[in-house]
Amino acid sequence: MTPSLLSTALRRLVPAVLCCCAFHPDQAAAQEVQWQGVSAFGIEGQGWTSTGHYFDRLPESAKAKVSDVAWKQSKESAGLCLRFVTDAAAVHARWSLTASSLDMPHMPATGCSGVDLYTRGVNNTWRFVGNGRPGKQEGNVSQFEFSDGPRPQRECLLYLPLYNGTLSLELGVKPGAHLEKAPPRPEGLRQPVVIYGTSITQGGCASRPGMAWTSILGRLLDRPIINLGFSSAGTMTPPVGEVLAELDPAAYVIDCTWNMGDTQEVYFDHTTKLVHTLRKSHPLTPILFVGQSHYRPEVHPTDLTHRQEAAVLRLQKEGIAGLQMIPGTDLIGDDGEGTVDGCHLNDLGMERQARVLFPIISQVLGAQGKLPVKTE
């Protein structure tokens, strides 16, 4: 072979070799880490331990008390997260999903089926580290590198997929690094807030799990959130109140207006039965009802908000204390930019709704402290 032909062959060969070496960087990294299942860390945001599958949101006993749609969606891991500490320079996640469909027409795979890692930064606030992008149903692998390198007892928070079920999940670090369960939250911040509602509560249509408004609110409050949002099935239909009453939260937040229908009689019936059921077990726990948000500010307060308010007002006149109505008027701003499709919130709408609800719920819980400048 002449020198010129040899040079040409080498020029063609080297890029091909480099391409092959870089084709599966996550898989190569995965072979160098020590993996462990997440059962040792525990799940935050899960109200029951008696679930059919480790990553379900409702217990088996709830199957006969919720709609078939809600039961199916309770297998999706919206709001579930892991808290852990590590001294590693990078953390790896390996997860498989229950459904092969990774995205929806109006919501990306990063939100439906991805995982999000946050770490506690300066001033005790949570900062986004990275998103684990799903590419397939089984065996997704992502590496999350910390910009400041290894640090002792770094507290981390990993959110699970919003609109897909988590079949399995493992965390890994390089040999010699430590990975363990995070210490308990401070005594006054352990009791969760339970949020029951619609697809918007579940997380539609956040670009990633950490940007669901319930997740943002949880970081602002710095306490557990139990996400019981079910797409199209947040209707308060009895006997769902019996399921909610099994929990012992610091507060209930009910965000169901989009799914309740148009008749005042339904609002009266479902709201009354829900509140009476909750009050049997929790006579003093605050119950907050969120009004309907709309991308057109001129329609506020909406007809559905008026129906919800009428139902809550009637209960208050009966003498039931601890009920509060939150208007939907200011939840997502007045510029029309807070939704994907006129209903489901984009990241901007999610951030705005969490910011509006944070001081209201903080006051109800008796929380102290200033609103952080920004959550990432």
Side-chain angles (χ1 to χ4, degrees), residues 85-352:
V85 294
T86 184
D87 59 1
V91 170
H92 302 253
R94 184 164 62 189
W95 74 104
S96 294
L97 303 157
T98 60
S100 59
S101 179
L102 303 181
D103 60 5
M104 295 189 289
H106 59 337
M107 185 173 176
T110 50
C112 289
S113 306
V115 297
D116 261 0
L117 185 67
Y118 283 72
T119 184
R120 196 181 289 277
V122 295
N123 300 323
N124 215 34
T125 57
W126 291 99
R127 295 188 64 85
F128 175 64
V129 177
N131 174 264
R133 302 177 186 177
K136 51 191 175 181
Q137 183 176 356
E138 298 183 3
N140 294 286
V141 179
S142 282
Q143 174 179 312
F144 303 94
E145 294 186 1
F146 301 111
S147 59
D148 57 351
R151 177 159 57 85
Q153 292 298 107
R154 183 196 308 273
E155 186 178 359
C156 297
L157 180 63
L158 184 79
Y159 290 101
L160 276 59
L162 293 169
Y163 270 83
N164 206 330
T166 303
L167 182 65
S168 65
L169 175 63
E170 298 171 284
L171 297 178
V173 293
K174 292 289 184 67
H178 295 284
L179 183 66
E180 57 191 30
K181 183 178 181 178
R185 289 182 179 272
E187 183 67 34
L189 296 175
R190 294 178 189 175
Q191 200 173 17
V193 171
V194 170
I195 305 179
Y196 168 61
T198 68
S199 55
I200 298 172
T201 301
Q202 184 171 344
C205 293
S207 65
R208 49 186 180 79
M211 286 307 296
W213 72 264
T214 52
S215 300
I216 299 171
L217 181 64
R219 294 195 299 278
L220 291 173
L221 294 171
D222 208 10
R223 71 163 65 223
I225 299 289
I226 296 178
N227 183 328
L228 295 179
F230 305 109
S231 184
S232 78
T235 59
M236 295 192 227
T237 305
V240 70
E242 296 177 12
V243 180
L244 300 181
E246 293 175 4
L247 302 170
D248 185 25
Y252 289 100
V253 178
I254 312 298
D255 187 19
C256 291
T257 49
W258 278 102
N259 288 170
M260 291 284 288
D262 295 329
T263 67
Q264 183 66 70
E265 290 74 18
V266 169
Y267 277 87
F268 281 144
D269 180 71
H270 290 192
T271 304
T272 299
K273 289 177 179 176
L274 178 75
V275 169
H276 285 167
T277 299
L278 293 179
R279 279 288 175 258
K280 289 178 182 178
S281 302
H282 306 284
L284 300 177
T285 303
I287 306 174
L288 292 78
F289 290 88
V290 181
Q292 183 188 29
S293 61
H294 203 284
Y295 77 103
R296 292 171 51 204
E298 66 272 14
V299 306
H300 286 116
T302 67
D303 290 341
L304 299 187
T305 295
H306 281 308
R307 294 185 180 101
Q308 181 70 88
E309 288 177 342
V312 173
L313 181 60
R314 193 168 77 169
L315 287 164
Q316 289 173 330
K317 289 181 177 178
E318 290 179 11
I320 298 179
L323 307 181
Q324 183 171 335
M325 188 71 199
I326 300 175
T329 306
D330 300 320
L331 288 180
I332 60 173
D334 59 5
D335 56 8
E337 299 293 350
T339 76
V340 171
D341 52 10
C343 172
H344 298 93
L345 308 188
N346 56 27
D347 288 354
L348 178 62
M350 293 285 184
E351 173 79 11
R352 287 174 172 175

Side-chain angles (χ1 to χ4, degrees), residues 48 50-52 58-66 71 239 242-243 246:
W48 297 267
S50 55
T51 55
L58 288 178
E60 287 293 298
S61 59
K63 185 174 182 178
K65 299 179 181 179
V66 300
W71 178 250
E242 296 177 12
V243 180
E246 293 175 4

Side-chain angles (χ1 to χ4, degrees), residues 36-43 54-55 82 158 160 168-171:
Q36 54 181 299
V38 299
S39 59
F41 303 108
I43 300 179
Y54 189 72
F55 299 103
L82 307 172
L158 184 79
L160 276 59
S168 65
L169 175 63
E170 298 171 284
L171 297 178

